[in-house]
Structures are given as C-alpha cells and as structure tokens.
Amino acid sequence: MPAQPFHLVLVEPEIPPNTGNVARLGAATGSPLHLVGRLGFRIDEQSVRRAGVDYWHLVDVRQHVDFAHFVHAFEQTSPSGKMHLFSALATKSYLDAEFAPGDALVFGKESVGLSEELTAAYADRLVGIPTLGAVRSLNLANAVGIGLFEALRQTGALASTFIG
C-alpha cells in the first residue's frame, strides 16, 4: 500500500449497499471512508450488523457535516493531497488524472451525483469514467472501485499483490 492511503469520499450517499461495498474497498486497501453531509440511511452498529456488513470495524469511517468540514479535515490530515471529483459531467477522463498517495477521490450521491455548486467550484478537478454505451454513468460502488484501483495502479501500490 502507498505510504499515505487514498481517501474515499461519498457526498450524501443514498443507498446502503453501495456504501457497504465502498466500505469493503476501504477495508481492503487501507483507505479511509469519508461520509459527507446527510446520509440516506443509518450507520449505527445495529443497522450495520442488520445489513450484514461484518467488516465495518475494519474501516476508518469519518463523518463530516458538510463538504466544507470535509475539506478542512482533509487539508489537515493530507496537506499535500489533491481532490479528484468524479462526475458524469467531466470532460477529462480519470485515466488522464495524475493520482498520488494521500489524494481524495470524491463521489456524489447516486441519484444526481455531485451538486452544481461543487462541480462549478472544482471544475478543474473533475474527472469522469467514460462509458461506451447509452448509459452516462456507472453504479457508485463500481465507479469508486474503478477510480481507486487506477489510483493504486498508478502509484505502484498493486505491485506487491498476487492472485493465488
């Protein structure tokens, strides 16, 4: 794993299984999971246990009341980190982004993605995952996995892993 982990950031996630899958990615890669704003579900111990998420205790979950609070915390914990905001509105591919350990990968809610306010404020940091068909965007958990593993690949973090 990189010396600094990547930060997985979900802004107002709505669907519990997507957040559970992203939490699993965080546990598998040592990446903190930042939950920003109002959640569409509860994450107390009873709710997580009922959902069958038995690895929640392995995830570094950090909640932030809004995006400004996340940015402040991120700047404190990862001062050299950059934010990459994933959006279907982006004109730059995530494959053209330059990821570095400590960066934050930011994703919006399932129904509408990131707000217009965020995409306008961070227009120079928007990246998208190209699709080949008529579907303009992917499932949230799939998109996080694609973005995270490209970042890990670029930084050489996968070089010591094996399949077997």
Side-chain angles (χ1 to χ4, degrees):
M1 272 189 259
Q4 287 187 307
F6 288 97
H7 296 264
L8 305 177
V9 184
L10 303 182
V11 179
E12 299 182 354
E14 301 166 313
I15 301 173
N18 282 333
T19 299
N21 286 326
V22 174
R24 183 183 293 251
L25 286 168
T29 61
S31 301
L33 172 59
H34 297 263
L35 301 175
V36 179
R38 187 169 175 218
L39 308 181
F41 48 87
R42 293 177 18 199
I43 59 167
D44 58 79
E45 185 177 336
Q46 182 180 5
S47 298
V48 170
R49 195 173 341 110
R50 188 178 318 118
V53 181
D54 59 354
Y55 46 82
W56 194 257
H57 66 285
L58 300 173
V59 185
D60 178 4
V61 180
R62 305 174 190 180
Q63 282 193 265
H64 309 277
V65 67
D66 57 26
F67 199 75
H69 282 85
F70 159 71
V71 170
H72 177 74
F74 177 64
E75 289 173 346
Q76 299 300 308
T77 60
S78 194
S80 62
K82 297 179 297 188
M83 290 188 295
H84 305 273
L85 285 75
F86 284 72
S87 171
L89 304 174
T91 57
K92 177 181 177 180
S93 170
Y94 78 107
L95 295 169
D96 296 325
E98 294 180 12
F99 298 103
D103 285 359
L105 311 180
V106 181
F107 298 83
K109 60 176 137 182
E110 291 89 340
S111 62
V112 295
L114 294 168
S115 70
E116 285 184 36
E117 178 184 339
L118 285 180
T119 58
Y122 297 97
D124 61 326
R125 300 179 190 185
L126 293 181
V127 295
I129 300 171
T131 59
L132 302 177
V135 175
R136 70 173 176 78
S137 63
L138 301 174
N139 167 276
L140 176 63
N142 290 337
V144 174
I146 290 168
L148 175 59
F149 274 81
E150 173 59 15
L152 291 168
R153 185 197 66 77
Q154 280 188 22
T155 59
L158 301 175
S160 64
T161 63
F162 63 93
I163 300 174

